[in-house]
Every structure is written in structure tokens, then in C-alpha cells.
Amino acid sequence: MSPPASWALFLDVDGTLIEIADAPDAVHVDEHVGGLLARLSGCLNGALALASGRPLAVLDRFFAPLELPAAGLHGLERRSADGHVNRTDGALALGPARRELERFAAAHPGTLLEDKSATLALHYRRAADAETEAREVMERVRASLGPAYGVQEGKMVLELKPHRPNKRTVVEDFMAEAPFRDRVPVFIGDDITDEDGFAAAQGYGGTAIVVGLQRETGRTSNAQYGLSGVRELHRWLEALGERLESR
Ligand SMILES: [Mg+2]
């Protein structure tokens, strides 16, 4: 791997920086994580960005008062290092799909529709026996929207979203801008969506690190390195901060 001082760090949030909880609003954000991110961002001349399926406003609440460069909603919202926010309006086409998924969630206790405006995430973590039907309804509404939309698989969640942007385009967009440009991207994430970010980072000669993969059966990753979980990543980031500060 290239020297850490030359890195641009891209970090997924759920399952990577914070543990996944039973429901998306039930997560606990360790207080020290914001401080750790601020410290690393300082060492990397600001080249540290979050890449998440969460809205930007939620990421800012998690790590307040820090407002990092970040992609929210898989890149439908993206804040550059200079603070400028780009938003893609993806909400327009989703009306009928939203109503059908709301009906499904109401009829299947334990499932939860997370309405992110531009994307719709159907969670079945509390209703694993509804998975098959959840897949069917998602496939039906996706087909009704045409080829611009896809269903993104996550951990006990199916998310209806446009194919673009995704974590690959997020990395490419940041890498075209200061202070990321001319640095070597290191992308760290835990889920299937992160594989797009991994591929992008590797395309720039960078590195992909997958978190917690060995806990999942049957899934493989194209990442070159792995960390066992959120806590191990926190320790790794702390060690990275020490290494960067001691230069
Ligand atoms: Mg994740």
C-alpha cells in the first residue's frame, strides 16, 4: 500500500463506522468517532469523505458538529470539501412505487419502509419470513419504473434507487476535486453497495478494505483487505491517526 499521508479516505457509515441496529433510527454513534474522523481529516489535508445510503442531514447529526465531505443517499446528495452540496432530484418518479410499498409494509408487521425521498428502502430485519414477498413486491415496483431504477441489496434491506449515482461515481466525483485529486483512494465499507466504491478505488491504484465480511455466509468481496468489524476498524483508524501525526 502507498504511504498513508498520500491517501484519500472514503468511509461507509452503517456497518463500518457504526454498528447496524435493529432499525435504521436505533443506531448508537460512539462519541469518540466524530473526534477520530476530525483528527484523520486534518492529517489528510481534508481528503476524508463519507459515502453512505443515509441522507446528508442524518450523517451530520451522527457526527455533529463535524460536517465532512460526504455523499448521502448513495450519491444523490454530495457535499464537496468546499461545502457545496449537489442534489439530484430522484423523488419525482417514485409516487406509485411509494404507495405500493407502504401498503406492503402495513400488511406485513415487522417490515419497515424507510422513505428517503429519492430512494425507498424496505427493511425486513424484524420480519425475516417476509423476505420472499418483499423481494417480489420490490421487483414488481422496480419493473414498473423502467430501466433507470434498480433494487440495491443490503443487509436485510432492499432499496429502490436509480442506478446512477452509486458509490463508484461518488469516488470518481470526489477524485476529480481538491483535496482528493492526486491522492490514492482507500475505500472502507461493509456491504454490497460498497463493492462499487472498492472497484473505483482500485481503478485509481488504491485499496479496498471490507469490514465484517466473515460474519456473512456466502458473500465474497473484491476488497484486498478485511477487518473483522466496527471495533477493529476504530482501532485501525486510531493507529492510522497516530502514524500520521508522528510523521
Ligand atoms: Mg454499510
mmCIF file of all heavy atoms in Angstrom, residues 12-16 20 155 167 189-191 193-194, ligand 1:
data_model
loop_
_atom_site.group_PDB
_atom_site.id
_atom_site.type_symbol
_atom_site.label_atom_id
_atom_site.label_comp_id
_atom_site.label_asym_id
_atom_site.label_seq_id
_atom_site.Cartn_x
_atom_site.Cartn_y
_atom_site.Cartn_z
ATOM 1 N N ASP A 12 -17.703 4.214 4.373
ATOM 2 C CA ASP A 12 -19.118 3.932 4.548
ATOM 3 C C ASP A 12 -19.442 4.160 6.033
ATOM 4 O O ASP A 12 -18.530 4.259 6.865
ATOM 5 C CB ASP A 12 -19.382 2.475 4.131
ATOM 6 C CG ASP A 12 -20.766 2.025 4.505
ATOM 7 O OD1 ASP A 12 -21.735 2.664 4.076
ATOM 8 O OD2 ASP A 12 -20.884 1.029 5.257
ATOM 9 N N VAL A 13 -20.715 4.238 6.367
ATOM 10 C CA VAL A 13 -21.084 4.552 7.758
ATOM 11 C C VAL A 13 -21.706 3.327 8.469
ATOM 12 O O VAL A 13 -21.072 2.721 9.326
ATOM 13 C CB VAL A 13 -22.024 5.783 7.807
ATOM 14 C CG1 VAL A 13 -22.472 6.059 9.246
ATOM 15 C CG2 VAL A 13 -21.278 7.000 7.241
ATOM 16 N N ASP A 14 -22.910 2.931 8.069
ATOM 17 C CA ASP A 14 -23.579 1.828 8.781
ATOM 18 C C ASP A 14 -22.867 0.499 8.533
ATOM 19 O O ASP A 14 -22.622 0.121 7.385
ATOM 20 C CB ASP A 14 -25.037 1.708 8.330
ATOM 21 C CG ASP A 14 -25.879 2.869 8.815
ATOM 22 O OD1 ASP A 14 -25.788 3.962 8.216
ATOM 23 O OD2 ASP A 14 -26.591 2.697 9.801
ATOM 24 N N GLY A 15 -22.539 -0.203 9.606
ATOM 25 C CA GLY A 15 -21.843 -1.473 9.484
ATOM 26 C C GLY A 15 -20.340 -1.307 9.319
ATOM 27 O O GLY A 15 -19.593 -2.285 9.301
ATOM 28 N N THR A 16 -19.903 -0.051 9.205
ATOM 29 C CA THR A 16 -18.476 0.242 9.012
ATOM 30 C C THR A 16 -17.993 1.110 10.182
ATOM 31 O O THR A 16 -17.197 0.660 11.005
ATOM 32 C CB THR A 16 -18.257 0.945 7.658
ATOM 33 O OG1 THR A 16 -18.708 0.059 6.615
ATOM 34 C CG2 THR A 16 -16.801 1.269 7.430
ATOM 35 N N ILE A 20 -24.650 -1.822 12.947
ATOM 36 C CA ILE A 20 -26.025 -1.869 12.438
ATOM 37 C C ILE A 20 -26.956 -2.224 13.599
ATOM 38 O O ILE A 20 -26.628 -3.057 14.436
ATOM 39 C CB ILE A 20 -26.133 -2.912 11.308
ATOM 40 C CG1 ILE A 20 -25.397 -2.395 10.069
ATOM 41 C CG2 ILE A 20 -27.598 -3.221 10.983
ATOM 42 C CD1 ILE A 20 -25.313 -3.378 8.934
ATOM 43 N N LYS A 155 -28.095 -5.411 3.841
ATOM 44 C CA LYS A 155 -28.253 -6.384 4.925
ATOM 45 C C LYS A 155 -29.686 -6.328 5.436
ATOM 46 O O LYS A 155 -30.051 -5.397 6.139
ATOM 47 C CB LYS A 155 -27.247 -6.089 6.026
ATOM 48 C CG LYS A 155 -25.826 -6.328 5.541
ATOM 49 C CD LYS A 155 -24.795 -6.028 6.599
ATOM 50 C CE LYS A 155 -23.405 -6.382 6.046
ATOM 51 N NZ LYS A 155 -22.332 -5.910 6.920
ATOM 52 N N LYS A 167 -21.754 4.289 -5.500
ATOM 53 C CA LYS A 167 -20.508 4.605 -4.788
ATOM 54 C C LYS A 167 -19.291 4.677 -5.716
ATOM 55 O O LYS A 167 -18.289 5.287 -5.371
ATOM 56 C CB LYS A 167 -20.309 3.640 -3.614
ATOM 57 C CG LYS A 167 -21.342 3.912 -2.502
ATOM 58 C CD LYS A 167 -21.073 3.202 -1.202
ATOM 59 C CE LYS A 167 -22.168 3.543 -0.184
ATOM 60 N NZ LYS A 167 -21.930 2.924 1.130
ATOM 61 N N GLY A 189 -15.670 -0.239 3.537
ATOM 62 C CA GLY A 189 -17.110 -0.444 3.666
ATOM 63 C C GLY A 189 -17.435 -1.885 3.985
ATOM 64 O O GLY A 189 -16.546 -2.750 3.987
ATOM 65 N N ASP A 190 -18.710 -2.142 4.251
ATOM 66 C CA ASP A 190 -19.078 -3.483 4.698
ATOM 67 C C ASP A 190 -20.066 -4.193 3.796
ATOM 68 O O ASP A 190 -20.277 -5.393 3.938
ATOM 69 C CB ASP A 190 -19.722 -3.409 6.094
ATOM 70 C CG ASP A 190 -21.103 -2.787 6.036
ATOM 71 O OD1 ASP A 190 -21.208 -1.654 5.515
ATOM 72 O OD2 ASP A 190 -22.075 -3.429 6.464
ATOM 73 N N ASP A 191 -20.723 -3.464 2.885
ATOM 74 C CA ASP A 191 -21.912 -4.055 2.269
ATOM 75 C C ASP A 191 -21.747 -4.151 0.750
ATOM 76 O O ASP A 191 -20.758 -3.698 0.187
ATOM 77 C CB ASP A 191 -23.129 -3.191 2.631
ATOM 78 C CG ASP A 191 -24.417 -4.013 2.723
ATOM 79 O OD1 ASP A 191 -24.465 -5.125 2.167
ATOM 80 O OD2 ASP A 191 -25.378 -3.524 3.343
ATOM 81 N N THR A 193 -23.218 -2.576 -1.663
ATOM 82 C CA THR A 193 -23.099 -1.275 -2.346
ATOM 83 C C THR A 193 -21.659 -0.785 -2.370
ATOM 84 O O THR A 193 -21.257 -0.049 -3.269
ATOM 85 C CB THR A 193 -23.899 -0.157 -1.643
ATOM 86 O OG1 THR A 193 -23.561 -0.136 -0.268
ATOM 87 C CG2 THR A 193 -25.377 -0.334 -1.802
ATOM 88 N N ASP A 194 -20.890 -1.170 -1.349
ATOM 89 C CA ASP A 194 -19.511 -0.686 -1.243
ATOM 90 C C ASP A 194 -18.592 -1.298 -2.291
ATOM 91 O O ASP A 194 -17.514 -0.756 -2.563
ATOM 92 C CB ASP A 194 -18.973 -0.946 0.166
ATOM 93 C CG ASP A 194 -19.777 -0.195 1.203
ATOM 94 O OD1 ASP A 194 -19.926 1.029 1.051
ATOM 95 O OD2 ASP A 194 -20.293 -0.829 2.140
HETATM 96 MG MG MG B 1 -22.664 -0.159 5.296
#
